[in-house]
mmCIF file of all heavy atoms in Angstrom:
data_model
loop_
_atom_site.group_PDB
_atom_site.id
_atom_site.type_symbol
_atom_site.label_atom_id
_atom_site.label_comp_id
_atom_site.label_asym_id
_atom_site.label_seq_id
_atom_site.Cartn_x
_atom_site.Cartn_y
_atom_site.Cartn_z
ATOM 1 N N THR A 231 -12.240 -7.671 2.885
ATOM 2 C CA THR A 231 -13.668 -7.945 2.698
ATOM 3 C C THR A 231 -14.501 -7.004 3.567
ATOM 4 O O THR A 231 -13.980 -6.399 4.517
ATOM 5 C CB THR A 231 -13.989 -9.393 3.115
ATOM 6 O OG1 THR A 231 -13.705 -9.525 4.526
ATOM 7 C CG2 THR A 231 -13.166 -10.401 2.317
ATOM 8 N N PRO A 232 -15.788 -6.911 3.278
ATOM 9 C CA PRO A 232 -16.656 -6.120 4.162
ATOM 10 C C PRO A 232 -16.626 -6.634 5.605
ATOM 11 O O PRO A 232 -16.669 -5.831 6.548
ATOM 12 C CB PRO A 232 -18.043 -6.284 3.542
ATOM 13 C CG PRO A 232 -17.778 -6.534 2.088
ATOM 14 C CD PRO A 232 -16.509 -7.361 2.078
ATOM 15 N N GLU A 233 -16.506 -7.925 5.776
ATOM 16 C CA GLU A 233 -16.447 -8.496 7.130
ATOM 17 C C GLU A 233 -15.189 -8.028 7.861
ATOM 18 O O GLU A 233 -15.242 -7.650 9.033
ATOM 19 C CB GLU A 233 -16.480 -10.029 7.070
ATOM 20 C CG GLU A 233 -17.778 -10.610 6.546
ATOM 21 C CD GLU A 233 -17.935 -10.499 5.020
ATOM 22 O OE1 GLU A 233 -16.912 -10.411 4.298
ATOM 23 O OE2 GLU A 233 -19.091 -10.481 4.558
ATOM 24 N N LEU A 234 -14.068 -8.032 7.164
ATOM 25 C CA LEU A 234 -12.821 -7.562 7.760
ATOM 26 C C LEU A 234 -12.917 -6.064 8.065
ATOM 27 O O LEU A 234 -12.465 -5.597 9.116
ATOM 28 C CB LEU A 234 -11.651 -7.849 6.817
ATOM 29 C CG LEU A 234 -10.257 -7.571 7.361
ATOM 30 C CD1 LEU A 234 -9.955 -8.437 8.579
ATOM 31 C CD2 LEU A 234 -9.209 -7.796 6.278
ATOM 32 N N MET A 235 -13.525 -5.320 7.165
ATOM 33 C CA MET A 235 -13.696 -3.878 7.375
ATOM 34 C C MET A 235 -14.559 -3.596 8.602
ATOM 35 O O MET A 235 -14.446 -2.533 9.213
ATOM 36 C CB MET A 235 -14.298 -3.220 6.136
ATOM 37 C CG MET A 235 -13.364 -3.183 4.940
ATOM 38 S SD MET A 235 -11.920 -2.146 5.194
ATOM 39 C CE MET A 235 -12.683 -0.516 5.109
ATOM 40 N N GLY A 236 -15.407 -4.532 8.973
ATOM 41 C CA GLY A 236 -16.222 -4.381 10.174
ATOM 42 C C GLY A 236 -15.392 -4.281 11.440
ATOM 43 O O GLY A 236 -15.862 -3.778 12.462
ATOM 44 N N GLN A 237 -14.153 -4.739 11.388
ATOM 45 C CA GLN A 237 -13.247 -4.663 12.537
ATOM 46 C C GLN A 237 -12.407 -3.390 12.536
ATOM 47 O O GLN A 237 -11.688 -3.111 13.489
ATOM 48 C CB GLN A 237 -12.304 -5.872 12.532
ATOM 49 C CG GLN A 237 -12.992 -7.207 12.607
ATOM 50 C CD GLN A 237 -11.995 -8.334 12.390
ATOM 51 O OE1 GLN A 237 -10.857 -8.267 12.853
ATOM 52 N NE2 GLN A 237 -12.421 -9.365 11.691
ATOM 53 N N ALA A 238 -12.473 -2.621 11.446
ATOM 54 C CA ALA A 238 -11.626 -1.438 11.284
ATOM 55 C C ALA A 238 -12.239 -0.209 11.951
ATOM 56 O O ALA A 238 -13.441 -0.152 12.225
ATOM 57 C CB ALA A 238 -11.421 -1.163 9.793
ATOM 58 N N LYS A 239 -11.394 0.786 12.168
ATOM 59 C CA LYS A 239 -11.850 2.057 12.720
ATOM 60 C C LYS A 239 -12.848 2.704 11.766
ATOM 61 O O LYS A 239 -12.764 2.546 10.551
ATOM 62 C CB LYS A 239 -10.667 3.023 12.891
ATOM 63 C CG LYS A 239 -9.669 2.622 13.936
ATOM 64 C CD LYS A 239 -8.533 3.652 13.977
ATOM 65 C CE LYS A 239 -7.503 3.297 15.013
ATOM 66 N NZ LYS A 239 -6.411 4.293 15.037
ATOM 67 N N GLU A 240 -13.747 3.473 12.335
ATOM 68 C CA GLU A 240 -14.760 4.168 11.532
ATOM 69 C C GLU A 240 -14.132 5.163 10.559
ATOM 70 O O GLU A 240 -14.645 5.380 9.465
ATOM 71 C CB GLU A 240 -15.730 4.889 12.471
ATOM 72 C CG GLU A 240 -16.911 5.497 11.776
ATOM 73 C CD GLU A 240 -17.865 6.166 12.753
ATOM 74 O OE1 GLU A 240 -18.108 5.618 13.841
ATOM 75 O OE2 GLU A 240 -18.370 7.251 12.404
ATOM 76 N N LYS A 241 -13.022 5.761 10.932
ATOM 77 C CA LYS A 241 -12.378 6.789 10.099
ATOM 78 C C LYS A 241 -11.159 6.263 9.334
ATOM 79 O O LYS A 241 -10.455 7.033 8.704
ATOM 80 C CB LYS A 241 -11.948 7.981 10.957
ATOM 81 C CG LYS A 241 -13.094 8.697 11.616
ATOM 82 C CD LYS A 241 -13.924 9.433 10.597
ATOM 83 C CE LYS A 241 -15.020 10.228 11.293
ATOM 84 N NZ LYS A 241 -15.863 10.917 10.362
ATOM 85 N N MET A 242 -10.882 4.972 9.398
ATOM 86 C CA MET A 242 -9.762 4.390 8.668
ATOM 87 C C MET A 242 -10.037 4.476 7.171
ATOM 88 O O MET A 242 -11.198 4.512 6.762
ATOM 89 C CB MET A 242 -9.595 2.925 9.080
ATOM 90 C CG MET A 242 -8.410 2.212 8.437
ATOM 91 S SD MET A 242 -8.760 1.408 6.869
ATOM 92 C CE MET A 242 -9.527 -0.090 7.412
ATOM 93 N N ILE A 243 -8.974 4.558 6.358
ATOM 94 C CA ILE A 243 -9.171 4.527 4.911
ATOM 95 C C ILE A 243 -8.352 3.397 4.299
ATOM 96 O O ILE A 243 -7.314 3.002 4.830
ATOM 97 C CB ILE A 243 -8.816 5.860 4.221
ATOM 98 C CG1 ILE A 243 -7.337 6.195 4.373
ATOM 99 C CG2 ILE A 243 -9.701 6.988 4.724
ATOM 100 C CD1 ILE A 243 -6.881 7.296 3.443
ATOM 101 N N VAL A 244 -8.847 2.882 3.182
ATOM 102 C CA VAL A 244 -8.156 1.849 2.419
ATOM 103 C C VAL A 244 -7.681 2.475 1.119
ATOM 104 O O VAL A 244 -8.476 3.067 0.389
ATOM 105 C CB VAL A 244 -9.084 0.655 2.097
ATOM 106 C CG1 VAL A 244 -8.343 -0.393 1.276
ATOM 107 C CG2 VAL A 244 -9.647 0.048 3.369
ATOM 108 N N MET A 245 -6.382 2.327 0.864
ATOM 109 C CA MET A 245 -5.807 2.845 -0.375
ATOM 110 C C MET A 245 -5.196 1.682 -1.157
ATOM 111 O O MET A 245 -4.831 0.655 -0.582
ATOM 112 C CB MET A 245 -4.752 3.906 -0.075
ATOM 113 C CG MET A 245 -5.327 5.112 0.650
ATOM 114 S SD MET A 245 -4.127 6.424 0.898
ATOM 115 C CE MET A 245 -4.172 7.179 -0.722
ATOM 116 N N HIS A 246 -5.081 1.857 -2.459
ATOM 117 C CA HIS A 246 -4.513 0.839 -3.341
ATOM 118 C C HIS A 246 -4.017 1.545 -4.593
ATOM 119 O O HIS A 246 -4.712 2.417 -5.122
ATOM 120 C CB HIS A 246 -5.600 -0.183 -3.702
ATOM 121 C CG HIS A 246 -5.085 -1.407 -4.388
ATOM 122 N ND1 HIS A 246 -4.508 -1.373 -5.642
ATOM 123 C CD2 HIS A 246 -5.068 -2.706 -3.997
ATOM 124 C CE1 HIS A 246 -4.160 -2.598 -5.987
ATOM 125 N NE2 HIS A 246 -4.486 -3.425 -5.014
ATOM 126 N N PRO A 247 -2.830 1.187 -5.103
ATOM 127 C CA PRO A 247 -2.336 1.867 -6.301
ATOM 128 C C PRO A 247 -3.088 1.473 -7.579
ATOM 129 O O PRO A 247 -2.947 2.149 -8.592
ATOM 130 C CB PRO A 247 -0.863 1.454 -6.368
ATOM 131 C CG PRO A 247 -0.775 0.187 -5.596
ATOM 132 C CD PRO A 247 -1.852 0.255 -4.546
#
Side-chain angles (χ1 to χ4, degrees):
T231 63
E233 294 76 25
L234 187 62
M235 291 294 287
Q237 300 172 38
K239 292 179 180 180
E240 187 178 320
K241 297 290 184 182
M242 183 270 280
I243 64 166
V244 179
M245 298 184 80
H246 191 295

